Amino acid sequence: MTTTTAADYTWFEERFPDLAEAYCCTLVRGLPPAELLRRLAGRAEPALTGTDAVVEAAFDLLRASDGRRQLLAMASVGAWTLLIEPNGYTGVTEDRALPASAGTRWVSHFVNINGLDAFLWAEDTVRRLWFEPCFPDERWGTTPDELLDVMHGAGFPFGDDGEAEADALGTDTPGTEIPGTDTPGTGLSAPAAFALAQHLTGVALTPELLEETTFTCGSVEIP
């Protein structure tokens, strides 16, 4: 079986730099966008095509609401709903995400402009795994080590394990510079989070999906 790695998602920062700067990306199994929005106590907003339009609208909404509302952009991808939040974090906010995960699987990862990040895997309101992708050695949840081998294979930067970076990028040299970054060994954790999310959901995100999809949109109050 082919393992998805960070190298499969380096395009995200290259192709979508504005979104990659601060985002939350969530996949939820079996809930259509309207039901997901209802569970998050959101309200409907106009549909948008492509993540560039989503990013622009998200910041427009933040300004118009005086920082009180967050845009949610949702699309059905097979049996899953993809939820994208530019500059948001609803998907990893446990007091919202865990109740919303009732009866389903919830996989979410987040990065902000200050370098904070989080990854959440929940099943039917139970937190199975939570960790910071930049610091994967510390993990919480009911099954914190179940995906440990997968996480190593995906390329998360465990301790001083430079070999994981090299393997994930398909090179022989630890600390190899990652495309789209300026510093050797940096930027690996976010692409690895996408790879881990694909392992848990079977959903492979592509540039074309993010560029061409028409998203059902809504908004929620920012906690």
Side-chain angles (χ1 to χ4, degrees):
M1 182 178 67
T2 302
T3 300
T4 305
T5 73
D8 296 302
Y9 281 97
T10 55
W11 56 262
F12 179 65
E13 293 183 20
E14 296 169 357
R15 296 280 292 270
F16 304 95
D18 292 339
L19 179 59
E21 190 172 68
Y23 70 89
C24 187
C25 182
T26 305
L27 285 159
V28 185
R29 184 176 58 199
L31 296 184
E35 172 61 13
L36 178 56
L37 186 62
R38 186 194 69 80
R39 291 191 181 196
L40 293 173
R43 74 182 187 198
E45 303 286 350
L48 297 162
T49 299
T51 54
D52 286 347
V54 168
V55 170
E56 182 177 356
F59 282 95
D60 286 346
L61 178 62
L62 280 170
R63 286 189 290 268
S65 66
D66 196 24
R68 292 193 296 268
R69 297 200 71 82
Q70 170 63 48
L71 186 74
L72 311 179
M74 298 161 288
S76 296
V77 184
W80 296 77
T81 288
L82 169 66
L83 165 61
I84 294 176
E85 303 173 68
N87 200 39
Y89 50 90
T90 306
V92 295
T93 301
E94 291 191 358
D95 60 359
R96 291 187 170 190
L98 294 183
S101 74
T104 189
R105 171 171 288 191
W106 183 286
V107 179
S108 185
H109 52 103
F110 148 86
V111 170
N112 78 3
I113 197 169
N114 297 317
L116 298 177
D117 60 0
F119 190 102
L120 171 66
W121 165 30
E123 299 273 356
D124 192 18
T125 76
V126 176
R127 179 180 66 177
R128 296 284 297 274
L129 173 65
W130 189 97
F131 69 100
E132 296 175 64
C134 281
F135 304 100
D137 295 278
E138 297 185 7
R139 298 171 303 281
W140 295 266
T142 59
T143 55
D145 296 333
E146 181 173 329
L147 300 176
L148 197 54
D149 288 345
V150 177
M151 292 171 66
H152 276 283
F156 285 99
F158 283 88
D160 297 325
D161 188 9
E163 292 182 3
E165 295 183 4
D167 290 343
L169 294 168
T171 70
D172 297 324
T173 306
T176 300
E177 183 174 339
I178 298 168
T181 67
D182 297 324
T183 305
T186 65
L188 186 61
S189 56
F194 277 99
L196 183 59
Q198 181 175 332
H199 172 82
L200 282 165
T201 64
V203 176
L205 301 186
T206 66
E208 293 74 22
L209 187 152
L210 298 184
E211 289 171 342
E212 300 170 7
T213 294
T214 296
F215 292 91
T216 299
C217 293
S219 66
V220 293
E221 290 188 2
I222 296 174

